[in-house]
Amino acid sequence: MSPDSTCLAAISTDDGGGDVQIQVSGIARQPNGLPTSTATQSLQVAASVEQARDLTWITPTTLGVLGRRSTDKAVRPLVAEVGGQIEALAAVTSARSIATTGGERELYVTTSSGRTYSRVGASWSALGVTGSVVVPSS
């Protein structure tokens, strides 16, 4: 769910695991704020992503995606604007999950071996602990 609780994002594939799509859908709400449904149509985001492992909302209009485009050799962290550009970040070997604690500069990637990296400028720095990063929702 987006940080402002107005949209959902999901990674979908066909039955064979192909045709990867990242979809964003609005959330319809009652006057008291309780959700009632998602929008009848969703928006495809980051259409050039051919493989996706995980995603996280960074801002109400930006997603962090662990994905691969045709120009990438491997899955890497990507920053995707809803309806806009995709920025490739430095690769993290064996990246498994992506999370944020509040913005593009506060991204974390966890690898298949349980090592967690935090974004430092244009690169990644290993944290001194292993395991998953748990980011509380607001």
Side-chain angles (χ1 to χ4, degrees):
M1 184 171 304
S2 63
D4 61 0
S5 300
T6 61
C7 295
L8 293 174
I11 299 168
S12 65
T13 65
D14 62 20
D15 290 339
D19 190 27
V20 171
Q21 294 188 15
I22 299 170
Q23 302 282 335
V24 172
S25 182
I27 300 171
R29 296 185 179 274
Q30 297 176 3
N32 65 2
L34 290 175
T36 57
S37 64
T38 58
T40 55
Q41 294 209 344
S42 60
L43 173 68
Q44 184 176 359
V45 176
S48 64
V49 173
E50 296 179 346
Q51 180 183 3
R53 274 195 196 138
D54 194 23
L55 60 78
T56 187
W57 284 95
I58 297 173
T59 72
T61 60
T62 309
L63 293 169
V65 178
L66 281 182
R68 184 184 58 76
R69 301 164 301 165
S70 63
T71 56
D72 299 322
K73 292 182 180 181
V75 169
R76 66 184 317 132
L78 305 167
V79 175
E81 291 288 331
V82 174
Q85 300 290 328
I86 301 173
E87 175 190 358
L89 303 179
V92 176
T93 303
S94 301
R96 180 187 68 196
S97 64
I98 189 168
T100 184
T101 56
E104 189 176 328
R105 294 285 170 203
E106 297 174 21
L107 285 173
Y108 296 88
V109 172
T110 301
T111 66
S112 57
S113 65
R115 190 101 182 154
T116 300
Y117 293 82
S118 65
R119 186 170 181 201
V120 178
S123 63
W124 299 91
S125 177
L127 299 180
V129 296
T130 58
S132 296
V133 173
V134 177
V135 179
S137 60
S138 54

